[in-house]
Amino acid sequence: MNKLVDLSVSNYGTTRQINYQLVVLPWGATEPHNYHLPYLTDCILSHDIAVDAAQRLLNKHGLHVMVMPPVGMGSQNPGQRGIQVPQGEVPFCVHTRYETQKAILTDIIDSLYHQGFRKLVIVNGHGGNTFKSMIRDLLTRYPDFLIAASEWFKMRNAKDFFDNPGDHADEIETSVMMYYHPELVNLADASEGNSNTFAIDALQEGRVWMPRNWGKVSKDTGIGSPKQSTAEKGKGFADAVCDAYVDFFADFIAVKDEDDLYTKGVW
């Protein structure tokens, strides 16, 4: 139990004694992940990575970070909420509107600001979530609150750690889940994660963007095969990602105000 860094298991008797210098907010989604991973995979992994990094930061630098409970309200692509598979329609995939996500983030920031906090890092675990416009809007109301957003799976190059990294419920998520929570993974149940791609080059290559219709690209809700997943691969990637967060958290905490975020003397 990490009561010093994890609010989901902490208590006021612990937190009242500590001057926390940074708040970390894991954010995920509620959606199916192939046949072998939990619906809350994005929440679980973003939370575990954040807590692991916060504990490492405390051990290495003596800096206190509090990780909030994960938010499970994610934005879904068309077709995800009502994706059709051979067995019928997939239940329990929840789409959360931009306005709802923004309201949640605003209420969290408002509460933390009132309590004297001025720095927050979002650790996102769901590719459909985007926070840039929300943060820009929030800064018009809280100009002295430094808010940064990240995606944990992009903190290191996955191709350096995995044989066949994919996109969803793939070798990356499965391996990291096997490392943190092997009891939640039954790889024998996993489907292949085969998927279709856009037929237009500009869309496939990312030069032009539009949301993918999940019912058109995946039959098992996964994109990318999880079959080569191992806990060892998950540990290697998680260690590298957490160490990257430790470096960023330490640098972000050292910033006194917004001026310190920028280089000096260029103009």
Side-chain angles (χ1 to χ4, degrees):
M1 297 246 289
N2 301 289
K3 291 183 180 180
L4 293 176
V5 300
D6 183 359
L7 196 65
S8 64
V9 297
S10 192
N11 52 55
Y12 180 48
T14 300
T15 62
R16 69 190 181 95
Q17 303 179 56
I18 299 172
N19 177 28
Y20 288 96
Q21 297 154 291
L22 173 67
V23 180
V24 177
L25 178 62
W27 204 303
T30 303
E31 61 172 1
H33 278 71
N34 201 313
Y35 303 145
H36 66 291
L37 292 180
Y39 275 78
L40 288 183
T41 289
D42 295 341
C43 297
I44 294 168
L45 293 182
S46 60
H47 176 261
D48 285 358
I49 289 287
V51 169
D52 195 346
Q55 186 65 58
R56 294 177 190 220
L57 181 76
L58 181 59
N59 295 343
K60 183 177 181 179
H61 298 292
L63 299 172
H64 288 278
V65 167
M66 180 52 81
V67 178
M68 301 287 285
V71 178
M73 300 293 99
S75 175
Q76 306 293 351
N77 280 313
Q80 270 180 295
R81 192 172 62 172
I83 188 172
Q84 295 289 327
V85 295
Q87 293 82 3
E89 191 169 283
V90 176
F92 306 123
C93 184
V94 179
H95 170 67
T96 309
R97 293 173 298 150
Y98 173 88
E99 294 84 358
T100 305
Q101 288 188 312
K102 184 179 177 182
I104 293 170
L105 182 59
T106 299
D107 287 350
I108 291 171
I109 293 295
D110 187 69
S111 297
L112 293 174
Y113 190 91
H114 179 74
Q115 296 156 16
F117 296 102
R118 293 297 182 269
K119 293 177 184 176
L120 179 135
V121 175
I122 297 171
V123 175
N124 179 36
H126 177 64
N129 295 334
T130 55
F131 300 96
K132 292 180 181 179
S133 295
M134 298 180 202
I135 293 171
R136 290 187 178 107
D137 286 348
L138 282 165
L139 292 181
T140 65
R141 183 173 176 181
Y142 307 98
D144 58 335
F145 204 126
L146 301 181
I147 309 170
S150 66
E151 294 178 314
W152 70 263
F153 45 86
K154 292 183 179 179
M155 292 296 286
R156 284 289 185 259
N157 187 354
K159 292 181 179 179
D160 294 336
F161 297 84
F162 299 100
D163 296 298
N164 187 30
D167 194 290
H168 188 252
D170 60 335
E171 188 180 343
I172 302 171
E173 288 189 312
T174 303
S175 293
V176 179
M177 185 67 81
M178 291 172 74
Y179 167 55
Y180 282 120
H181 295 285
E183 75 282 2
L184 297 180
V185 183
N186 187 351
L187 198 56
D189 289 343
S191 185
E192 291 294 338
N194 294 326
S195 61
N196 298 319
T197 62
F198 283 118
I200 299 175
D201 289 344
L203 290 170
Q204 184 178 347
E205 296 165 5
R207 291 180 283 118
V208 179
W209 179 88
M210 66 180 293
R212 293 173 292 183
N213 187 313
W214 222 251
K216 307 294 184 183
V217 300
S218 175
K219 68 175 183 178
D220 53 27
T221 79
I223 296 182
S225 174
K227 296 296 186 177
Q228 293 178 279
S229 303
T230 67
E232 290 73 25
K233 291 178 182 178
K235 182 182 187 306
F237 190 55
D239 283 343
V241 167
C242 288
D243 287 343
Y245 272 120
V246 168
D247 292 341
F248 175 72
F249 290 165
D251 290 342
F252 202 47
I253 288 170
V255 169
K256 294 180 181 178
D257 54 38
E258 190 178 21
D259 288 343
D260 286 344
L261 288 171
Y262 305 97
T263 57
K264 304 295 191 296
V266 177
W267 50 268

